[in-house]
Amino acid sequence: MSQNLQLSPEDTERLIDATFEAQKRAYCPYSKFRVGAALIAEDGTLLSGCNVENASYGLSICAERTTLVKAVSEGHRKFKALAVICDMDENAKPCGACRQFMIEFGKYEVLLLKPDRSYRLTTSYDLLPDAFIPSHLEEPNHTH
């Protein structure tokens, strides 16, 4: 575990617990690959989500995006941290689409969990270097 985590030990445990609980709710009848995610919004609200598969594979949604969509739909736009766990014996690894989706909401800590509750600490920005971010769409940065 990292000494640089900005969350309190209590919030870190709360976040990790919620991530593992979310993983249990995954709907993955096709891949059998359970993923859970949870985040703590800037105001301390804890939200979680899981992957939800669909027979039309392209319509499936990852746990990270489920969690962020849930947060945004409940009025949250700024986050302290997001954690993710999956069915691998190594640290979870968000897909490229999730990394792009995560960075939309700025820089915050990301805990890439292992089944033993250890994690690798990174940030939403570090997961996707040279990302396309909202400020790139501001008037001075693009031509018509």
Side-chain angles (χ1 to χ4, degrees):
M1 297 202 188
S2 171
Q3 280 87 7
N4 297 327
L5 185 63
Q6 299 299 310
L7 292 177
S8 70
E10 296 80 18
D11 277 347
T12 301
E13 285 305 307
R14 212 167 52 109
L15 179 63
I16 292 171
D17 288 345
T19 304
F20 277 89
E21 285 303 311
Q23 183 187 29
K24 293 176 186 174
R25 296 188 298 269
Y27 177 75
C28 51
Y30 310 106
S31 72
K32 310 288 192 260
F33 190 73
R34 301 171 310 138
V35 183
L39 64 77
I40 295 182
E42 193 171 68
D43 69 358
T45 301
L46 178 68
L47 298 124
S48 64
C50 60
N51 57 319
V52 179
E53 294 181 349
N54 189 280
S56 177
Y57 294 147
L59 298 179
S60 298
I61 185 168
C62 300
E64 300 93 325
R65 286 182 284 150
T66 298
T67 304
L68 286 162
V69 167
K70 187 175 177 181
V72 169
S73 71
E74 293 185 17
H76 303 283
R77 302 286 190 282
K78 296 195 181 291
F79 311 115
K80 291 181 181 180
L82 180 143
V84 62
I85 184 67
C86 63
D87 284 332
M88 294 191 307
D89 288 333
E90 54 191 71
N91 296 95
K93 294 168 179 57
C95 72
C98 285
R99 291 172 192 225
Q100 180 66 49
F101 206 89
M102 289 163 65
I103 208 166
E104 177 75 13
F105 301 99
K107 185 176 182 179
Y108 48 90
E109 294 180 327
V110 178
L111 287 73
L112 303 174
L113 297 167
K114 289 174 120 177
D116 66 2
R117 298 178 66 89
S118 66
Y119 56 86
R120 181 170 74 83
L121 180 64
T122 188
T123 70
S124 53
Y125 276 30
D126 290 337
L127 283 172
L128 191 62
D130 298 321
F132 183 75
I133 57 175
S135 65
H136 292 139
L137 294 174
E138 293 173 5
E139 279 299 318
N141 291 328
H142 63 86
T143 60
H144 294 10

